[in-house]
Amino acid sequence: MVLELSKRAQQMLNKRDFLDEYTMLCMHDPFNQDTNKKFGSKEQHYFPMWGTTEMCEALASCLTRHLAPDLPVLPENVLVVNGGVAAMEVLACCLLDPGDVLLTPSPCYTRIIVNFSERFKVNVVDVLLRDTNEISVGERSAFELNGDLLEDTIMEQKATGRVVKAFYLVNPNNPLGEVYSPQLVLQLMEVCHRHGLHFISDEAYAMSIYEPQTPFQSVLNLSPLPDPQKTHVIWSFSKDMNLAGIRIGALISQNKDLLHVVKNTSVYTAVPAIVQKAAASLLNDTVWLDEEFLPTHRQRLREAAHKTQNALISLGAKVQPAQAGFFLWANLRCFLPKVNHDEELALFKRFMAHKVYLTPGSEMRCADPGWFRIVFSSAPHVLEEGLSRIADTIKEL
């Protein structure tokens, strides 16, 4: 499967690092004066930079329980990196060459653009989702994604002579808060398969779905996959575990060449062993995690989302129906003197003058002016104050 990788990754595929190779051999049979003639703690020394055995097994178990109950995740297919950002850069390095195109639906989480383009010079191109209809809660959502739209974007890029290599889907979506159905995801994967694209599924909010009966299914639990060798999943501690500061991300893939290259370069993305030990301990506390933390996490998100939604609607805003994540996507167009991006930015500055931060849609590559992302995952008293400041800003318009 060498041809599935970027040219730079192919060059690294057979790279042999003498020190790494023999250090790993020594680590498997260390001296211990009591048991195996070794002294000291393993957390104080070098370790598999792509993830300790304990961490990879804990991640595989957690992801299997919550995302892939029908298709257990294998520890050997899990790589540990220092955050979701690092996982994106690893894929940029290994799957795409400079100038290659990666497609992603927009509005989008704009770190995708930076993470793929800044150091590895990938062209990130929007699959442009539009506000095609006036919406209110309960109606069919705007910004609709479908296979035909992806197909059209691929063909448009190919017509310009560009090489399209990959499609990046955030599901549940940031900033829309929408959960894409397994039927749609498979449709998008089939389009990617027809055109030879890698399919990257960013599932950072997969355990933060707060609306009951939402039909989410992880790519890890879909079978058969149109192209298993070109299907890759990213997950991290930052969102679902509320631990952005711990800097642990996971890259899950069945592509052995990709895994091999990432291991060869993992010294650049390693997470400290002591941090992995603490994180694995957290994941292995399954009673607390599964029966206390995650249910409480989802309930609090649901309460905060509904509170925020009701407050925005009472002010006259329209809110995109959402089922997951830490944010709502709200149409504040009715508060703009003229519907354009300059007025959107002016409203943003008014909010900032009241010391409340709402992300303007134009900064998330939204083509339709007047949309804002509002994060609600704060402590209740902080959320209450933020909503009050939004109301105060609007009353002054």
Side-chain angles (χ1 to χ4, degrees), residues 308-330:
T308 305
Q309 176 182 285
N310 292 336
L312 293 169
I313 291 173
S314 71
L315 294 170
K318 294 183 178 181
V319 181
Q320 178 87 351
Q323 304 87 39
F326 300 169
F327 32 74
L328 292 176
W329 188 240

Side-chain angles (χ1 to χ4, degrees), residues 113-132:
I113 289 88
V114 176
N115 296 341
F116 278 88
S117 66
E118 193 167 60
R119 293 205 291 177
F120 295 100
K121 309 306 177 188
V122 172
N123 285 319
V124 182
V125 174
D126 302 305
V127 178
L128 196 58
L129 312 183
R130 301 301 301 268
D131 176 15
T132 54

Side-chain angles (χ1 to χ4, degrees), residues 322-348:
Q323 304 87 39
F326 300 169
F327 32 74
L328 292 176
W329 188 240
N331 185 343
L332 307 185
R333 189 176 300 157
C334 60
F335 304 118
L336 304 182
K338 295 181 180 178
V339 181
N340 58 49
H341 288 302
D342 288 339
E343 293 294 345
E344 176 187 281
L345 187 59
L347 179 57
F348 163 74

Side-chain angles (χ1 to χ4, degrees), residues 101-106 123-130 144-168 188 191-192 194-195 197 365:
V101 171
L102 175 133
L103 302 176
T104 193
S106 66
N123 285 319
V124 182
V125 174
D126 302 305
V127 178
L128 196 58
L129 312 183
R130 301 301 301 268
E144 182 182 358
L145 174 64
N146 57 61
D148 290 341
L149 184 58
L150 174 58
E151 180 96 35
D152 291 345
T153 309
I154 293 171
M155 297 308 295
E156 288 169 6
Q157 290 300 305
K158 286 186 172 182
T160 68
R162 284 179 161 182
V163 177
V164 185
K165 282 282 190 71
F167 174 66
Y168 194 100
L188 297 170
V191 173
C192 290
R194 285 200 300 273
H195 292 276
L197 274 61
R365 294 168 78 101

